[in-house]
Amino acid sequence: MNINLSKDVLLKPLQLINGVVERRQTLPILANVLLEVDQGVLTMTATDLEVEVIAQLGVDSKASGRITLPARKLFDICRSLGDGADISIQVEDEKATLRSGRSRFVLTTLPADDFPDIGEMEDARSFTLKQGELKRLMDQTAFAMAQQDVRYYLNGMLFEMGSEQLRTVATDGHRLAMAEAAVNIGWNDKTQIIVPRKGVNELQRLLNELDKDVKVELGANHIRFTTDGMSFTSKLIDGRFPDYEHVVPKNGDKILIVDKDALKQALVRASILTNEKFRSISVHVKPGRIVIHARNPEQEHAEEEVEVDYNGDEFEIGFNAAYVQDALGAMNELQVQMVFTDPSSSCLLHGVANESSRYVVMPMRI
Amino acid sequence: MNRKIIHIDMDAFFASVEQRDFPELRGKPVIVGGQPNSRGVVAASSYEARQFGIYSAMPCSRAYQNCPHAIFVRPRFQAYKQVSSEIHAIFKEYTDLIEPLSLDEAYLDVTDVESRDGVATLIAKELREKIFKQLQLTASAGISYNKFLAKLGSDQNKPNGQFVIKPGEAEHYLQDLPISRFHGVGKVTEAKMKSFGINTGGDLKQQSLLQLQRVVGNSAEYYYDIARGIDHRQVSNKRIRKSLGSETTFQQDISDTQEMLQQLFKLLDEVLASLSQRELLAYTLTLKVKYADFSQVTRSYTGDTVISLQKTASTLIPTLLNKTDADTKSVRLLGISFSNLLSHKDYSDSQLPLFN
């Protein structure tokens, strides 16, 4: 097996693939990338058994063959070669020799037949949308996913497909983020699936030709995203996502409008003097302004006043400042609407003129 | 309203348990700890042994010189733990506000106790009588309106006695008290204070907060308060651990960082398991490295959010190890510990959940 190609075409797909390669692999072969060459097309595959990424590119090779090479080392070698360098990879007797100019590297290989397969897509249905749109849906919600929660179905992102809308939802049980986009999906039923955290994070990284299409295929146990030259497959989390619509407050009658950046900056400053464990702040809402208080265990305290558009009753509510900051950080609008019911019920945040992303934050007891 | 705090301190606890369980030891100088020819130290000594100038933490070899006919016995911690829990059962008959300091010492907040007409000195007396009757062990008690004074009081009429410091009496009581009796003053602080002419509670009270800061730095406020008999610390029955960790000394020094990482991940799994067993979360991870030449460094990281998750912690470990000289020096010991702990319960208590 013999492959010739230039560093410039190899590097980028190799970099994308490397993100999937686990650092602490359970199986040695998972540290490797599978190279398959056939009729002038090189297919590279990496997997951690939960997600799989495949990149394809044209190469100058008449031969066909399959082999796996250490992914990290291959990437590090390519990265450190000069721009425009030509690379040839030759496999012989369980060793791969990579040559470029006056450099020569001999790498160990593992047999391609041992490379694991993430499983077949069965009964796949599909739809297409712009990469930029999908990326926005994920970028605006991913921060709220749980991490290693025992409620395993929270360690991922809900994708909800309706006939004309794609919605993403993430929650760690304390706050929730949801975003939606009009997409011509055309399925009759409302379909919910959960993509694991790692799949979401990798996909966010992989989507970077924002005005190009991405095809989404949904099988019984997998979801696949395919773009020009790249395909990303993730297993699904087998579980039921909580009834999120139920926790989006509907009866909030205390509505205030605030300048996003002013509130964000006030929170950043007040957070300096919060209890570093809880990040708790209290927010005193008054007509025309809110006063944010923070206090740490050393009894130092901070007070921040922010002008708001509000003329209802006064009340005070506690929050983890980080949760509010995260929500503000994910919104694109400059004016934010906050809807409260009472100090022990959740707060709903969204843009004033735009509800394409919404955030729910539960308060803290104060 | 003033609180009513009792500090109970068992008399020569380990040694008394030994004398109780082995009658042949009664009336004799008993030393619980290492053997006389070993490098061990005295864990506890009976009152008969104390007459020979033997005290806790003294090297056993010195104790042997002072009192060659002393009987050295090995500690039986399981037995002491058992007795301690029996003592706690007696405390619980009165209050749930019990803060243990060790196996043989505890604070009790009896402010809301109604038996004995709520008179704390009578409650303390009854507690000590019950302990003696049920367990044949003597205890001393200090009774006062805060923890600091209660602890001082239990020392006053030891053994088998009690002492009360009432509101208004504290300043008088503290006036002539040697500075070494103040809780928190060890040898170093004592020497430092003495070099500034602070020998008694009265001397301490003369100091302004600013002057104290020069002597004891950050602890100035604490000493300023206790010199006036002020101590706001609550008796807390949910005192949680400050840190949790594990370390391992290798049979042979290791110099391969990959192997170090492997050992660290092993330790990590262990410590994470005991964290979750105790339902604790942590904000700080500390790595400890002792090099072959016995010099030692620690490197730690404190997160904004909980870092005691498998994934977070395992990415932190290589980073922390990189900040040591482990790549150039060989290593005899590795350890990791979590601190800045928080119980699952406290965490979920303050942050309200979205889903019930």
Side-chain angles (χ1 to χ4, degrees):
Chain A
M1 183 176 143
N2 202 341
I3 308 165
N4 297 305
L5 74 183
S6 116
K7 172 203 170 182
D8 298 351
V9 294
L10 182 59
L11 188 64
K12 200 176 151 212
L14 207 51
Q15 180 176 23
L16 293 178
I17 274 185
N18 246 284
V20 169
V21 178
E22 277 274 10
R23 250 174 259 163
R24 291 178 69 192
Q25 315 87 12
T26 40
L27 278 172
I29 202 164
L30 296 182
N32 280 18
V33 53
L34 171 66
L35 302 184
E36 295 170 291
V37 63
D38 188 29
Q39 298 184 341
V41 175
L42 170 65
T43 306
M44 297 191 288
T45 308
T47 181
D48 68 352
L49 299 179
E50 191 181 20
V51 300
E52 176 190 83
V53 59
I54 299 176
Q56 285 193 323
L57 53 153
V59 287
D60 176 15
S61 171
K62 287 178 191 69
S64 68
R66 310 163 73 219
I67 196 69
T68 79
L69 299 179
R72 185 75 216 176
K73 288 171 194 155
L74 180 61
F75 172 60
D76 283 344
I77 291 168
C78 288
R79 190 170 54 164
S80 46
L81 292 172
D83 289 343
D86 285 322
I87 298 171
S88 85
I89 301 171
Q90 194 170 10
V91 181
E92 217 166 74
D93 300 337
E94 299 173 3
K95 294 281 181 203
T97 307
L98 186 153
R99 289 189 180 81
S100 178
R102 293 198 245 180
S103 308
R104 184 168 162 273
F105 306 86
V106 179
L107 296 170
T108 59
T109 67
L110 287 170
D113 287 344
D114 294 350
F115 198 79
D117 190 312
I118 188 169
E120 273 305 300
M121 293 279 286
E122 286 157 1
D123 310 321
R125 299 189 285 172
S126 69
F127 62 92
T128 301
L129 75 163
K130 289 276 179 261
Q131 292 187 30
E133 198 71 302
L134 180 57
K135 190 166 154 59
R136 173 184 75 81
L137 293 182
M138 293 194 293
D139 289 351
Q140 290 195 312
T141 52
F143 67 86
M145 291 187 289
Q147 273 191 56
Q148 305 204 322
D149 200 297
V150 286
R151 296 165 291 180
Y152 59 95
Y153 46 83
L154 298 184
N155 303 324
M157 182 178 285
L158 177 77
F159 280 64
E160 185 182 271
M161 278 115 344
S163 170
E164 287 166 358
Q165 174 182 278
L166 174 62
R167 175 183 278 174
T168 55
V169 187
T171 177
D172 62 4
H174 295 148
R175 35 76 182 272
L176 176 146
M178 57 196 281
E180 55 216 24
V183 179
N184 185 10
I185 295 176
W187 305 350
N188 292 328
D189 54 329
K190 199 195 285 185
T191 309
Q192 291 194 334
I193 53 110
I194 308 169
V195 181
R197 197 183 161 84
K198 167 133 190 194
V200 172
N201 292 149
E202 280 308 313
L203 191 55
Q204 281 177 291
R205 231 167 44 84
L206 292 171
L207 297 175
N208 40 34
E209 294 178 308
L210 301 184
D211 40 9
K212 292 201 177 157
D213 282 347
V214 53
K215 179 180 174 196
V216 184
E217 285 171 278
L218 181 63
N221 302 308
H222 300 90
I223 190 165
R224 177 171 296 159
F225 302 87
T226 309
T227 63
D228 267 352
M230 197 260 327
S231 138
F232 176 80
T233 310
S234 173
K235 281 190 180 167
L236 301 177
I237 292 180
D238 184 14
R240 246 179 66 85
F241 203 76
D243 180 8
Y244 68 90
E245 280 180 283
H246 186 73
V247 301
V248 179
K250 289 171 192 67
N251 304 321
D253 54 351
K254 303 177 176 62
I255 300 172
L256 71 80
I257 292 171
V258 60
D259 180 81
K260 183 179 72 178
D261 289 332
L263 178 56
K264 224 157 106 180
Q265 283 153 18
L267 287 171
V268 168
R269 288 188 297 264
S271 291
I272 298 167
L273 299 187
T274 53
N275 178 331
E276 63 183 79
K277 288 184 181 176
F278 300 113
R279 293 311 204 82
S280 62
I281 49 159
S282 76
V283 181
H284 196 158
V285 181
K286 304 172 179 187
R289 63 200 167 104
I290 57 174
V291 183
I292 300 166
H293 281 282
R295 183 180 291 276
N296 66 15
E298 292 85 48
Q299 298 301 311
E300 296 163 320
H301 48 105
E303 188 180 305
E304 286 280 345
E305 197 172 298
V306 182
E307 202 174 299
V308 298
D309 184 355
Y310 177 74
N311 43 30
D313 295 340
E314 268 188 37
F315 65 97
E316 198 169 2
I317 188 166
F319 284 114
N320 179 329
Y323 291 170
V324 182
Q325 284 170 283
D326 285 346
L328 296 174
M331 275 188 253
N332 293 329
E333 296 72 27
L334 296 176
Q335 294 288 306
V336 171
Q337 185 163 322
M338 299 177 79
V339 185
F340 301 90
T341 313
D342 62 57
S344 55
S345 305
S346 58
C347 165
L348 173 68
L349 298 94
H350 56 75
V352 166
N354 182 343
E355 295 189 25
S356 65
S357 73
R358 287 178 285 166
Y359 304 89
V360 181
V361 179
M362 273 312 275
M364 295 182 89
R365 277 196 200 91
I366 45 174
Chain B
M1 197 188 77
N2 281 317
R3 312 290 304 166
K4 295 176 193 167
I5 313 291
I6 299 176
H7 178 251
I8 296 274
D9 192 5
M10 300 301 295
D11 300 324
F13 184 55
F14 296 172
S16 302
V17 174
E18 294 303 325
Q19 286 180 324
R20 181 192 75 171
D21 294 352
F22 301 98
E24 66 272 23
L25 299 178
R26 289 180 196 164
K28 298 197 174 131
V30 174
I31 292 172
V32 181
Q35 291 302 300
N37 51 2
S38 73
R39 299 203 300 169
V41 293
V42 175
S45 55
S46 69
Y47 281 94
E48 294 83 353
R50 292 186 192 188
Q51 287 173 357
F52 295 90
I54 288 160
Y55 52 87
S56 296
M58 177 187 241
C60 286
S61 50
R62 273 250 328 268
Y64 181 72
Q65 283 170 12
N66 286 8
C67 182
H69 62 286
I71 304 168
F72 288 80
V73 300
R74 291 219 168 272
R76 294 180 300 139
F77 287 106
Q78 274 313 318
Y80 310 148
K81 258 190 187 160
Q82 172 59 33
V83 178
S84 181
S85 70
E86 286 162 6
I87 296 169
H88 276 249
I90 297 174
F91 295 162
K92 281 226 169 81
E93 294 173 23
Y94 294 84
T95 177
D96 284 330
L97 270 180
I98 303 162
E99 178 178 331
L101 294 175
S102 57
L103 287 178
D104 60 342
E105 257 183 272
Y107 290 113
L108 281 69
D109 186 327
V110 296
T111 313
D112 301 322
V113 174
E114 282 167 10
S115 71
R116 296 271 139 195
D117 294 330
V119 179
T121 49
L122 296 180
I123 297 170
K125 190 158 173 283
E126 196 173 276
L127 271 170
R128 292 174 41 240
E129 284 167 1
K130 274 195 184 167
I131 291 172
F132 186 73
K133 211 169 134 206
Q134 292 177 23
L135 304 170
Q136 297 84 50
L137 293 168
T138 62
S140 298
I143 304 111
S144 194
Y145 55 93
N146 64 37
K147 282 165 62 164
F148 165 66
L149 294 170
K151 190 167 162 85
L152 273 180
S154 66
D155 235 14
Q156 186 71 30
N157 289 331
K158 215 170 198 346
N160 201 13
Q162 65 180 54
F163 186 72
V164 58
I165 302 171
K166 291 184 184 149
E169 294 175 1
E171 304 211 9
H172 176 71
Y173 178 76
L174 296 173
Q175 183 66 30
D176 297 323
L177 201 68
I179 202 71
S180 58
R181 288 273 314 276
F182 282 69
H183 184 59
V185 178
K187 274 194 189 139
V188 177
T189 315
E190 182 185 359
K192 190 121 190 236
M193 285 193 173
K194 284 194 167 153
S195 75
F196 280 83
I198 307 172
N199 295 302
T200 64
D203 298 338
L204 188 61
K205 204 181 147 190
Q206 299 260 310
Q207 308 294 313
S208 73
L209 194 54
L210 220 64
Q211 286 167 317
L212 272 178
Q213 260 157 6
R214 247 172 284 146
V215 187
V216 292
N218 281 337
S219 313
E221 219 165 304
Y222 168 73
Y223 288 111
Y224 184 85
D225 278 350
I226 62 171
R228 289 158 181 75
I230 300 170
D231 177 9
H232 294 300
R233 290 172 303 156
Q234 300 284 318
V235 174
S236 162
N237 50 5
K238 42 182 183 202
R239 203 167 68 111
I240 63 169
R241 274 172 169 282
K242 290 212 167 120
S243 72
L244 191 69
S246 178
E247 55 185 49
T248 176
T249 305
F250 307 114
Q251 295 194 327
Q252 282 173 347
D253 299 344
I254 55 177
S255 47
D256 175 17
T257 45
Q258 280 308 316
E259 197 184 334
M260 291 178 205
L261 283 176
Q262 250 173 39
Q263 295 288 348
L264 284 168
F265 286 131
K266 230 161 68 186
L267 285 172
L268 176 67
D269 287 342
E270 231 176 81
V271 183
L272 284 178
S274 50
L275 266 183
S276 80
Q277 207 175 29
R278 293 175 168 81
E279 304 204 313
L280 292 172
L281 303 167
Y283 288 81
T284 302
L285 173 63
T286 303
L287 172 71
K288 171 170 158 187
V289 178
K290 195 184 267 182
Y291 302 115
D293 61 7
F294 283 85
S295 64
Q296 177 182 315
V297 293
T298 58
R299 295 286 179 264
S300 60
Y301 173 85
T302 299
D304 286 342
T305 54
V306 171
I307 51 114
S308 55
L309 305 160
Q310 175 76 46
K311 209 158 207 166
T312 320
S314 35
T315 46
L316 283 173
I317 281 178
T319 320
L320 292 175
L321 189 64
N322 272 339
K323 293 185 183 165
T324 69
D325 296 330
D327 50 340
T328 55
K329 293 167 94 172
S330 49
V331 161
R332 61 176 279 118
L333 173 149
L334 287 171
I336 57 170
S337 70
F338 286 100
S339 50
N340 251 322
L341 303 178
L342 173 73
S343 73
H344 287 189
K345 193 176 165 304
D346 281 354
Y347 187 69
S348 53
D349 267 2
S350 51
Q351 171 65 54
L352 300 169
L354 266 173
F355 311 103
N356 285 313

